[in-house]
């Protein structure tokens, strides 16, 4: 029997034919016609199935409230719709600043406002019937969110929320709400607007780059604003969400300010500073923060930290000191005692800072964990005995930095390596400066430095310990400035001693 394939086939009138559709030809629309012939020849005829076309989807968008009262409310609503359309069409990331930039003006118009923008995919027929999206459809899942809560010193509270949510696979919604509990003065409206603009720009940066930075707190009017909480949220793998947040508070009772911040990779910064330095006229040297920043850089380098998280940590730490740096302070009524104290002081307020990572355990040995914990501190103590004053100012740090090398991904049980190194590191150091004065005369000046470090490297082969190496180091230094003090002019000692005391500010761990 001979089998051939031809584009067309016309069966003889006398032939009895049978048509079959092969199982693997169902989608292609091919029909095979088999006809017995004298020469046992079988031919195939291919017939194209008719093609159908779906109409292109149409997107419609609109506002729930098209008649917002007030120019600021109308402008904000239009920006809400523009931001949603641009983000949904993937022409730009979600714009926070275009909405938050209207907060000051909105606060002058009303104490409460809500609106919602929607963008939906519909058929052409539905679009002809109505150009407004269906606001009766309920959102099915969250997407991105921005939340800001602010409290003023008068006790007024402001709550702002911007939520982007999905409506199945056919669209999304962007909801805005603004509420004031209280009555805002002009100064409060202005301070709120400045804060909202700053944080709005940070929100844009976050949704564009997955991180953001405060870049100082000097432009926040803390004479009006006592606290704020700012949270940015985005989706993460496996139907989870991650947050980047800042919480700032000024406590008038304790005369301190506090910042707690965290990023999407699980790093946290908690720092509390005093609002005042040792002396009113204290000046912080431009390099006063450098020893602490260098410790942070070294620790984050050793931990192989992501650059985004490193910048986030350095920025959060530095932002709390901007108001004390680069601002010369002079008082016409400075006494000899005040001048000497200011010369002795580092220029920074006392503070405590904690920097930490999330803790990730080894699945095979739970006691082994990757973690970073760094504490930085400055504390000043003043003690008086009769007419003598003793001042101690101590700067210190403590670092615990445990990590794995070569284990690949300890967070994923499917990705592991039984041959790896587990490193545990502990370092601590302090610099203490002690000043003794009787009235305006300096009796003694001491500088003491201590440093301790230990590092253990454990080598594992097939999850079994095969080698351990430990290094330890310690150093202690103590310097008296007795001879230098004797050489100073007794009558104008507080002036001449400035240079000597300034040299002791350059701490080095």
């Amino acid at each position: 029997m001979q089998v051939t394939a031809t584009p067309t086939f016309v069966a003889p009138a006398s032939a009895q034919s049978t048509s079959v559709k092969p199982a693997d030809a169902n989608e292609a629309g091919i029909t095979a016609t088999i006809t017995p012939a004298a020469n046992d020849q079988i031919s195939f005829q291919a017939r194209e199935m008719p093609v159908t076309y779906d109409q292109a989807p149409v997107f419609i968008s609109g506002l729930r409230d098209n008649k917002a009262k007030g120019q600021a409310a109308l402008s904000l609503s239009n920006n809400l719709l523009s931001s949603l359309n641009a983000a949904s069409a993937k022409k730009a990331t979600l714009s926070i600043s275009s909405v938050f930039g209207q907060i000051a003006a909105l606060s002058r118009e009303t104490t409460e406002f809500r609106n919602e923008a929607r963008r939906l995919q519909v058929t052409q027929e539905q679009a002809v019937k109505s150009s407004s999206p269906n606001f009766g459809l309920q959102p099915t899942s969250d997407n991105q969110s921005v939340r800001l809560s602010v409290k003023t010193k008068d006790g007024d509270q402001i709550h702002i929320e911007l939520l982007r949510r999905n409506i199945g696979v056919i669209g999304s919604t962007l909801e805005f709400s603004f509420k004031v509990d209280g009555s805002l003065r002009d100064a409060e409206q202005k301070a709120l607007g400045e804060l909202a603009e700053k944080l709005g720009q940070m929100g844009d940066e976050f949704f564009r780059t997955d991180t953001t930075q405060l870049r100082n707190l000097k432009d926040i009017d803390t004479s009006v604003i006592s606290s704020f909480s700012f949270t940015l949220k985005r989706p993460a793998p496996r139907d989870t969400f991650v947050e980047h947040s800042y919480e700032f508070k000024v406590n008038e009772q304790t005369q301190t300010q506090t910042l707690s911040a965290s990023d999407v990779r699980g790093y946290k910064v908690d720092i509390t500073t005093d609002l005042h330095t040792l002396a009113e006229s204290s000046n912080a040297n431009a390099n006063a923060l450098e020893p602490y920043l260098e410790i942070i850089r070294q620790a984050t380098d050793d931990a192989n930290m992501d650059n985004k998280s490193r910048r986030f940590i350095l920025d959060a730490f530095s932002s709390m000191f901007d108001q004390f740096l680069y601002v010369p302070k002079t008082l016409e009524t400075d006494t000899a005692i005040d001048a000497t104290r200011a010369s002795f002081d580092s220029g920074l307020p006392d503070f405590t800072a904690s920097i930490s990572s999330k803790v990730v355990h080894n699945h095979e040995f739970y006691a082994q964990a990757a973690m970073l914990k760094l504490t930085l501190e400055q504390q000043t103590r003043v003690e008086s005995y009769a007419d003598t004053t003793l001042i101690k100012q101590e700067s210190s740090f403590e670092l615990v930095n445990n990590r794995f090398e070569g284990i690949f991904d300890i967070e994923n049980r499917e990705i592991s390596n039984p041959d790896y190194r587990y490193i545990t590191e502990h370092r601590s150091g302090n610099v203490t400066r002690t000043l003794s004065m009787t009235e305006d005369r300096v009796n003694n000046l001491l500088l003491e430095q201590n440093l301790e470090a230990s590092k253990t490297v454990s080598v594992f082969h097939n999850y079994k310990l095969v080698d351990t190496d430990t290094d330890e180091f310690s150093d202690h230094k103590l310097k008296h400035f007795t001879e230098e003090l004797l050489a100073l002019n007794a009558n104008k000692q507080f002036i001449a001693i400035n240079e000597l005391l300034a040299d002791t500010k350059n701490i080095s761990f």
Side-chain angles (χ1 to χ4, degrees):
M1 176 182 292
Q2 182 181 8
V3 179
T4 62
T6 60
T8 59
F9 170 74
V10 178
S14 59
Q16 294 182 353
S17 62
T18 301
S19 295
V20 298
K21 180 179 286 188
D24 60 351
N26 289 343
E27 296 302 322
I30 298 176
T31 301
T33 303
I34 304 174
T35 304
N39 58 359
D40 291 328
Q41 185 180 38
I42 298 176
S43 300
F44 293 96
Q45 178 180 352
R47 184 177 73 235
E48 292 185 359
M49 299 295 288
V51 179
T52 60
Y53 295 92
D54 293 329
Q55 291 183 341
V58 176
F59 291 94
I60 59 175
S61 60
L63 292 165
R64 180 182 289 273
D65 181 2
N66 287 304
K67 299 178 181 179
K69 297 179 180 179
Q71 185 59 43
L74 181 61
S75 177
L76 186 150
S77 297
N78 289 333
N79 288 338
L80 198 68
L81 182 59
S82 298
S83 181
L84 176 63
N85 283 333
S88 298
K90 298 183 179 179
K91 294 180 179 179
T93 54
L94 185 63
S95 175
I96 310 303
S97 59
S98 62
V99 177
F100 275 40
Q102 301 294 323
I103 296 299
L106 184 66
S107 68
R108 289 190 285 269
E109 289 182 353
T110 181
T111 59
E112 188 169 0
F113 176 73
R114 296 175 181 272
N115 209 348
E116 176 188 352
R118 285 201 172 192
R119 186 175 190 267
L120 295 178
Q121 176 182 311
V122 298
T123 65
Q124 291 184 3
E125 183 180 358
Q126 290 173 321
V128 171
K129 290 181 179 180
S130 176
S131 60
S132 177
N134 183 359
F135 283 90
L137 297 174
Q138 294 298 315
T140 56
S141 62
D142 292 340
N143 191 309
Q144 299 161 316
S145 67
V146 182
R147 291 180 172 86
L148 171 62
S149 295
V150 182
K151 185 176 181 179
T152 70
K153 287 192 173 181
D154 288 352
D156 301 317
Q157 297 188 49
I158 304 97
H159 305 282
I160 302 169
E161 195 171 61
L162 189 63
L163 303 176
R164 184 185 180 192
R165 300 195 287 173
N166 299 319
I167 305 175
V169 295
I170 63 171
S172 60
T173 174
L174 189 58
E175 306 165 39
F176 172 81
S177 65
F178 169 83
K179 185 178 181 181
V180 178
D181 295 328
S183 179
L184 300 182
R185 298 179 289 108
D186 290 346
E188 291 175 313
Q189 294 167 357
K190 180 176 181 294
L192 173 63
E194 292 171 347
L195 174 62
E197 284 191 26
K198 177 183 179 67
L199 299 181
Q201 294 171 2
M202 290 171 57
D204 287 350
E205 182 182 15
F206 172 78
F207 289 118
R208 187 176 62 252
T209 67
D210 202 32
T211 190
T212 190
Q213 299 173 40
L214 277 169
R215 296 182 178 87
N216 78 59
L217 288 163
K218 285 192 299 184
D219 46 2
I220 297 175
D221 190 350
T222 54
S223 67
V224 175
I225 293 176
S226 63
S227 67
F228 74 83
S229 175
F230 184 55
T231 303
L232 300 155
K233 182 185 290 187
R234 67 157 177 81
R238 296 184 288 274
D239 297 324
T240 59
F241 288 85
V242 290
E243 290 185 355
H244 189 110
S245 66
Y246 294 94
E247 186 170 351
F248 176 75
K249 182 178 181 180
V250 177
N251 190 321
E252 293 288 349
Q253 187 174 6
T254 60
Q255 285 293 288
T256 59
Q257 59 182 7
T258 302
L259 175 67
S260 297
S262 62
D263 77 348
V264 298
R265 282 159 287 277
Y267 290 97
K268 297 181 179 181
V269 178
D270 293 286
I271 178 169
T272 299
T273 73
D274 286 354
L275 293 176
H276 304 286
T277 53
L278 174 64
E280 277 192 78
S281 58
S282 294
N283 288 313
N285 186 283
N287 296 320
L289 282 181
E290 191 55 36
Y292 305 104
L293 296 176
E294 183 58 28
I295 291 292
I296 296 174
R297 293 189 194 103
Q298 291 176 6
T300 54
D301 282 345
D302 290 342
N304 294 319
M305 186 182 295
D306 183 279
N307 283 332
K308 292 179 180 179
S309 292
R310 179 185 290 109
R311 290 195 298 270
F312 155 76
I313 290 172
L314 290 168
D315 168 77
F317 180 81
S318 301
S319 293
M320 290 289 280
F321 298 97
D322 286 316
Q323 68 193 82
F324 301 98
L325 298 176
Y326 320 116
V327 183
K329 302 173 187 176
T330 55
L331 295 178
E332 295 180 1
T333 58
D334 251 7
T335 64
I337 295 175
D338 292 333
T340 302
R341 284 192 174 197
S343 298
F344 171 80
D345 188 23
S346 71
L348 298 177
D350 282 355
F351 71 90
T352 300
S354 174
I355 298 166
S356 63
S357 69
K358 62 180 179 180
V359 179
V360 183
H361 294 273
N362 183 351
H363 301 307
E364 300 298 327
F365 295 99
Y366 195 79
Q368 294 179 352
M371 63 170 292
L372 170 70
K373 181 65 180 290
L374 174 62
T375 302
L376 303 163
E377 190 173 27
Q378 176 185 293
Q379 294 297 327
T380 304
R381 298 183 298 278
V382 180
E383 301 174 4
S384 296
Y385 306 93
D387 58 352
T388 298
T389 300
L390 188 67
I391 304 174
K392 285 188 175 182
Q393 191 166 79
E394 180 180 5
S395 303
S396 62
F397 81 92
E398 183 173 11
L399 169 68
V400 176
N401 193 353
N402 299 341
R403 56 196 184 275
F404 295 91
E405 289 184 357
I407 201 168
F408 298 159
D409 188 351
I410 60 175
E411 294 189 68
N412 189 342
R413 291 180 180 271
E414 303 301 321
I415 304 175
S416 61
N417 180 13
D419 302 329
Y420 64 92
R421 299 197 309 164
Y422 180 53
I423 301 170
T424 60
E425 182 178 10
H426 179 265
R427 284 194 290 150
S428 63
N430 64 72
V431 177
T432 304
R433 297 179 304 115
T434 305
L435 176 69
S436 173
M437 296 179 62
T438 300
E439 296 183 347
D440 63 352
R441 180 182 179 85
V442 176
N443 302 316
N444 205 352
L445 179 64
L446 302 175
L447 178 63
E448 185 176 9
Q449 296 172 286
N450 293 287
L451 181 63
E452 293 185 356
S454 65
K455 180 178 179 181
T456 299
V457 179
S458 301
V459 181
F460 287 81
H461 176 64
N462 198 24
Y463 294 118
K464 293 182 178 180
L465 181 64
V466 295
D467 189 30
T468 301
D469 183 36
T470 299
D471 288 327
E472 295 183 344
F473 171 83
S474 64
D475 186 41
H476 174 77
K477 296 178 182 178
L478 178 63
K479 183 176 181 180
H480 290 263
F481 290 86
T482 306
E483 295 183 2
E484 291 87 343
L485 289 170
L486 291 174
L488 296 174
N489 184 301
N491 295 327
K492 297 183 178 180
Q493 186 187 43
F494 72 93
I495 297 176
I497 203 172
N498 286 354
E499 184 176 348
L500 173 61
L501 294 175
D503 289 340
T504 70
K505 293 182 182 180
N506 299 320
I507 64 172
S508 178
F509 293 119

